[in-house]
Amino acid sequence: MISEADWKHFKRVKADALDKCCQQVFDDVRKGIDNPELSAHAKYLYLYKLMENSDKRIANIFNYNAKSKAMLQLALMKSDGLLEAKQTNGFSERFTEFY
């Protein structure tokens, strides 16, 4: 089980990672909308598929709010490139050994 200190740090890291993930989605939205080579319909299809895939990605990584899932979520955030080394420095050694 995760310690209270790790849990508090995890919640901050999780919020930052979710924000980063959403920003990546917004960047991809802009890229699709600003593409002059795509028709309006092609842009719509691009955005629809992007949002569908992004929703699945966000749900897979962030739709848990339990201490028992924190290590799994952290590993998923790391594998998806949503964590920076400085964010993981605040965890205990026991917690960081997992991921």
Side-chain angles (χ1 to χ4, degrees), residues 14-62:
K14 180 180 175 181
D16 290 344
L18 178 57
D19 196 57
K20 183 176 182 177
C21 185
C22 290
Q23 187 59 56
Q24 289 173 350
V25 173
F26 295 149
D27 293 343
D28 290 341
V29 166
R30 279 187 208 91
K31 195 183 324 177
I33 289 174
D34 293 341
N35 187 341
E37 296 179 14
L38 295 179
S39 68
H41 184 244
K43 289 177 184 182
Y44 170 83
L45 293 174
Y46 169 83
L47 292 176
Y48 178 82
K49 195 65 167 170
L50 174 68
M51 294 311 297
E52 185 178 52
N53 291 336
S54 297
D55 190 53
K56 289 176 186 175
R57 175 185 178 208
I58 289 170
N60 284 337
I61 299 171
F62 298 102

Side-chain angles (χ1 to χ4, degrees), residues 10 13-14 17-18 21 24 53-66 69-83:
F10 172 77
V13 168
K14 180 180 175 181
L18 178 57
C21 185
Q24 289 173 350
N53 291 336
S54 297
D55 190 53
K56 289 176 186 175
R57 175 185 178 208
I58 289 170
N60 284 337
I61 299 171
F62 298 102
N63 276 6
Y64 307 106
N65 197 28
K69 301 288 186 184
M71 290 183 182
L72 171 62
Q73 279 186 281
L74 196 64
L76 291 169
M77 287 180 241
K78 184 177 181 183
S79 71
D80 211 37
L82 298 172
L83 295 180

